[in-house]
Amino acid sequence: MSIRSCHTPNQDCRVAKPRRIVLLLGLLLPTLVLAAVDDRPPGDKLDSSLTLAKGVRWLPGEFVAGQQPDGNSVIIETPDGLIVFDSGRHTAHSDRILAAARSRGLPIIALINSHWHLDHISGNPALRAAHPSLQVHASTAIDAALKGFLANYRKQLLQAIASEASDAQKATWQAEIARIDSGPQLRPSRPVHQDEVRRIGGRDLEFRLQHDTVSGGDVWVFDPQSRVLLAGDLVTLPAPFLDTACAPRWREALQRLASVDFDWLVPGHGRPMDKRELQHYISAFDRLLECAASPAQAFDCASAWKSDLSDLIPDAQTGQASQLLDYYVDQVLRGERANQHCPSDARALKVEGRGTGVAGRS
């Protein structure tokens, strides 16, 4: 058995065994490069971050050839210390977060995990070791994931290691196993069970919890002071990552995001968006689901998505978007696997006619 990484546009990711995990949530994303004008002093290691508002910085997730990616992180500075939203997957990413704390001379007092996917929580152990008093705010969906999805993924990794693979590839898979095996360090110390306002470092943050949406328990946060909305994987580019998602519930969650009066939305992967760009994303998501519910070919659904979001998806990512959506439409949104991650009350939800989703954005 093999676990393939579709890192390049010429790889064929469309042939999939029914139970194959085609990616662990964001595997295909290349590096996002966005020029930034910032007030950091020369030599600051955070040279790839972007200031979204005073005291609020975006750290883009990065992609290295042959490796799985890191999700985006955001650092909020308060008088009491730093609040970090998502910790990435690789050591290089968590090191950037720790460097931010050192450069500011501030402790990390809180870590918020949007969800349990490894590209958003694997830096937790390093951050907790360096700042033992920090509190981790997240849903408890990680508990089910460690017994289900991640446990199955771990078995696949072990089988892959036993196969004829290079030493480098085996080391990569062993590192993934180590991330899963750090389970206790991935769990929250301050579980999020409902929508609420939490005061952290003198800052009132609006926590919102989405059940059975992208990961079983997705936390998104709005900071009224900076008007920055932290969406996690409720918004991702170059495509929605549907591996553990309930698409009808996801559609509802996007409408909740749209109701917030924000200046910037930071997605789980991809560059920050304004409200107009989020509306484009939501329209494209609606049409994608409508297309998947129609007789259209997966290729046509993917083409429509890319056309709808041509202003948000860089040219370098269009190949990855096609590969992802060719798989998701046929293997996740249709057939026996359709809505498999939805609760019973959402499994019967159907997309009602607002077009086939194969036309460009109106």
Side-chain angles (χ1 to χ4, degrees):
M1 176 179 185
S2 65
I3 297 178
R4 286 191 299 161
S5 311
C6 305
H7 296 295
T8 58
N10 61 354
Q11 280 185 266
D12 182 5
C13 302
R14 291 174 292 177
V15 180
K17 296 179 181 179
R19 295 182 62 83
R20 183 168 72 85
I21 300 175
V22 98
L23 73 162
L24 192 59
L25 313 148
L27 185 57
L28 302 181
L29 286 176
T31 305
L32 176 65
V33 179
L34 181 64
V37 177
D38 201 19
D39 59 359
R40 293 182 308 281
D44 191 322
K45 293 182 180 180
L46 300 179
D47 56 0
S48 62
S49 71
L50 178 70
T51 297
L52 300 175
K54 185 177 180 180
V56 180
R57 297 171 184 271
W58 163 54
L59 273 66
E62 295 185 351
F63 183 91
V64 177
Q67 295 183 355
Q68 297 211 43
D70 299 278
N72 288 330
S73 293
V74 172
I75 298 176
I76 301 174
E77 186 171 329
T78 78
D80 297 338
L82 302 180
I83 301 169
V84 175
F85 187 85
D86 283 343
S87 62
R89 175 186 245 111
H90 298 105
T91 300
H93 190 91
S94 56
D95 281 350
R96 292 169 63 209
I97 298 172
L98 293 170
R102 289 193 299 270
S103 68
R104 300 297 183 269
L106 293 171
I108 299 175
I109 59 173
L111 170 60
I112 304 168
N113 289 142
S114 60
H115 62 297
W116 55 262
H117 295 166
L118 293 181
D119 49 346
H120 295 265
I121 64 170
S122 295
N124 286 22
L127 269 59
R128 292 178 111 161
H131 299 270
S133 63
L134 77 79
Q135 296 294 311
V136 179
H137 304 252
S139 81
T140 57
I142 180 67
D143 295 330
L146 287 168
K147 297 176 182 177
F149 190 95
L150 291 175
N152 292 333
Y153 179 49
R154 190 182 189 280
K155 291 177 183 178
Q156 291 191 23
L157 290 166
L158 287 172
Q159 293 172 9
I161 290 171
S163 68
E164 295 181 5
S166 68
D167 290 342
Q169 183 62 77
K170 289 181 179 181
T172 297
W173 291 334
Q174 287 166 343
E176 283 284 272
I177 290 175
R179 295 180 183 108
I180 297 169
D181 289 348
S182 64
Q185 293 297 309
L186 306 179
R187 291 186 168 97
S189 57
R190 292 286 308 281
V192 178
H193 297 295
Q194 61 188 2
D195 294 352
E196 62 180 300
V197 174
R198 293 192 174 186
R199 189 168 183 81
I200 306 174
R203 207 174 186 112
D204 290 329
L205 300 178
E206 298 179 7
F207 281 67
R208 300 292 180 261
L209 176 62
Q210 302 292 149
H211 294 286
D212 303 307
T213 304
V214 174
S215 69
D218 298 277
V219 174
W220 55 275
V221 173
F222 178 59
D223 175 26
Q225 183 173 325
S226 66
R227 293 171 56 83
V228 173
L229 192 161
L230 311 177
D233 276 6
L234 293 172
V235 180
T236 57
L237 289 169
F241 301 148
L242 291 153
D243 302 72
T244 60
C246 173
R249 287 284 177 85
W250 192 338
R251 196 179 200 179
E252 296 171 358
L254 287 173
Q255 293 302 324
R256 289 193 76 193
L257 295 179
S259 70
V260 178
D261 187 19
F262 64 86
D263 289 337
W264 287 108
L265 177 149
V266 181
H269 299 267
R271 67 169 176 81
M273 302 178 185
D274 59 24
K275 287 190 71 70
R276 177 189 63 84
E277 291 168 328
L278 176 62
Q279 287 296 340
H280 284 180
Y281 187 92
I282 292 172
S283 296
F285 190 91
D286 285 346
R287 280 190 276 267
L288 175 65
L289 297 193
E290 291 160 10
C291 187
S294 78
Q297 296 294 314
F299 173 85
D300 294 325
C301 298
S303 296
W305 170 269
K306 291 185 294 182
S307 175
D308 285 348
L309 296 181
S310 59
D311 55 343
L312 289 177
I313 301 174
D315 291 343
Q317 294 185 341
T318 57
Q320 281 94 349
S322 294
Q323 292 166 347
L324 280 164
L325 292 174
D326 281 355
Y327 171 77
Y328 285 141
V329 170
D330 282 339
Q331 301 291 331
V332 179
L333 294 177
R334 292 174 173 168
E336 294 180 356
R337 297 187 64 190
N339 293 339
Q340 67 169 327
H341 295 292
C342 291
S344 57
D345 64 332
R347 287 177 187 164
L349 292 178
K350 294 183 179 180
V351 177
E352 297 183 356
R354 277 177 281 178
T356 63
V358 296
R361 185 173 63 245
S362 59

